[in-house]
Amino acid sequence: MRVDAFKLPTEGPADVRGLQALLDDGVVRADQLVCVLGKTEGNGGRNDFTRDLAMRALEDLLAPRLGLPPPRVQDRVVFSLSGGTEGVVSPHVIAFARSGTWSEEPGPKRLVVGTAHTRPFTPAEIGRMPQIVETARAVAELARELRLDPADVHLVQMKGAIPRADHEAAQAARRAGAPLRNDMVHSRAASALGVALALGEVARGDLSDAVVCDDWSLWSGVASCSAKPGLQRTEILMFGNSAHAGGDLVVGHTVLQDILDVAAVRDLLARLGLPVAGGQLSPEQRAHVVGVFAKSEADPRGSIRGRRHTMLTDDDIDDTRHSRAALAAVLASVVGDPCVYVSTRAEHHGPLGGGPLAIIARAP
C-alpha cells in the first residue's frame, strides 16, 4: 500500500490544469485518487461559492475518466475545500492517490489515507449524542480498516452533516424543550467529540448532550471538521502512519496552545526529521513538506497570552478571516511556504484559542 501526494498551485477556483496534467501524463490514474484537499480564494463563509466552483471543475475533469456522471464523482473521490486565502495563503490543492496492497511484513510506518461515511442523520440528532456516537463508530471502524492504532491517527478531516428541517419540525422541537442544533457550530462540535471518543481522547462517561459547545475541556487533537447544510451523512477522511504501508510519506500532528504557538510547530517539524535552524526551514527541507493542515480560532476569551485582541469586536473584518490570516502567517513563516491549509471555527478542536496542526512530509 502506497500513498502519493501532489501539491498543485492554482490560478483560480476552477483551475484543474495541474491535476489534468498528472492524469494526462500517466503519473496518476483517476481510479487511484482518494481525495483532493485545498484552499480557494473565497470568503470562507456561507456564501463562498468558490468551493462549489472548484468542486464542479474537479467533477467535470474526473467524470469521464471514472466513467461516472459528474454528480457521482464525489462518491468515489472526497473533495475537502476550504475557502479563505487571506494574507499570505496561496491557493492550492493537494491530490492524494493510493495504490498497491498491504505488506504483511511490518516495516517503517508510512502514510495511509482512507475514507468513510456515517449513516444518515436526522435533524434532531445533530449536535447531540447520536451524532457523537455514530461518528465515533465510523472513525474507529476506518482506523481498523487502515490497520492503525489510535496513536497512529494524526488527522481526521470531516465534512459534518447538517440535514435540513422544515419550519414546523423546528418549532415542534423547540416546544418539546429540545431545540434543533442542526447548524454548522453544533455539527462541527459533535463531529470533533466523536473523533475524540473513537481515539480515546475523551471518556464516554464524560460526554452528554449538555457538554456540546459548553465544556471546552473536552476536545480532539487530530480532528478538523467543517459542516455543510443539506448534507445527510458525515464524510470522513483519515490520515495515519501504518507499519504495513510503503512509500516515502509520513504524517505527524501536534496541538497548538494558541495562535502564536511557534514552538509547537518547530517541535512537530523536528519530529518529522526537519529540524528548524535559523527560524525557517531551508529550501532543501521545504521541498520535503507536502501539506500543512491547521484549525484556527479567535480566542473567545478575548485575549492572547494576557493581551487583549479585537478579532471578535471588529465589525469590518470577520473574526474567521482574522484568525486564518494570523495563523497562516505563523505557519508559513516557519515552513517558508505560503501553501498552507487553515480552516476556522474550532469547537472542541484543541484547547480554547488553540487547535490541531498536522503536517505531511517526505521522510528524509
Side-chain angles (χ1 to χ4, degrees), residues 4 28 75 106 179 193 213 287 333:
D4 291 296
V28 65
D75 293 336
L193 289 173
C213 293
S333 70

Side-chain angles (χ1 to χ4, degrees), residues 3 39 51 65 101 118 122 147 160 209 234 284 331 335 351:
V3 172
K39 292 293 298 185
R51 293 169 293 196
R65 290 169 168 83
T101 58
T118 64
T122 67
R147 304 189 180 192
D209 291 353
T234 295
E284 293 76 16
L331 296 172
V335 176

Side-chain angles (χ1 to χ4, degrees), residues 71-105:
R72 293 289 309 280
V73 169
Q74 291 194 57
D75 293 336
R76 291 280 299 276
V77 183
V78 173
F79 302 147
S80 183
L81 300 168
S82 172
T85 52
E86 298 83 2
V88 301
V89 178
S90 182
H92 68 286
V93 297
I94 304 174
F96 291 87
R98 188 174 60 197
S99 59
T101 58
W102 295 106
S103 170
E104 295 307 319
E105 293 296 326

